[in-house]
Amino acid sequence: MSAQPIPFPVRRVSGFDEPPAPPRDGDAKPKGLPPAPGEPTALQRAWLERGLTQPGGKLPLFFGEGRRIDPRTVKACLEKGWCEPWYANPLKPDWIVCKLTDKGRALFDAA
């Protein structure tokens, strides 16, 4: 029996015997991670900070240039207790209107 050639190209899959990739330039952490566990990311901190100057601590639905705040940012801050739902938006039920909590304000009192 003769060996038949493989009719398509095969790529070698890297194994565990290869050394790990060197760290990235400067900071070894990927962009978007918080500086320490349990702290907000730069984007979350910027969004929460905008509530400090608003009546009742209302958090904006949009950035200054008109881009909508990502719902994942809102949900992550809700889960951490930095903000809470304020009221239901009857025109856009999928948009969550939030306000700062005391825990959210404490992030900026310590800084």
Side-chain angles (χ1 to χ4, degrees):
M1 229 185 213
S2 66
Q4 295 289 331
I6 299 174
F8 51 87
V10 177
R11 186 172 58 111
R12 181 179 175 271
V13 178
S14 62
F16 294 104
D17 56 341
E18 295 179 8
R24 296 184 196 100
D25 299 346
D27 189 18
K29 287 200 284 186
K31 274 177 53 178
L33 287 180
E39 291 186 17
T41 64
L43 184 68
Q44 291 168 345
R45 181 174 284 280
W47 179 63
L48 292 167
E49 189 173 20
R50 290 182 61 197
L52 293 174
T53 58
Q54 296 298 315
K58 182 187 178 294
L59 293 165
L61 296 173
F62 297 92
F63 287 105
E65 70 273 3
R67 186 173 42 115
R68 185 174 170 211
I69 304 293
D70 192 338
R72 294 177 295 181
T73 300
V74 176
K75 289 177 184 174
C77 291
L78 283 169
E79 289 172 1
K80 295 285 187 175
W82 298 326
C83 66
E84 63 186 4
W86 196 354
Y87 63 87
N89 187 345
L91 298 177
K92 295 284 188 179
D94 57 324
W95 290 5
I96 305 170
V97 180
C98 295
K99 65 179 181 175
L100 276 175
T101 61
D102 292 335
K103 188 175 178 181
R105 290 182 192 279
L107 292 170
F108 301 99
D109 293 339

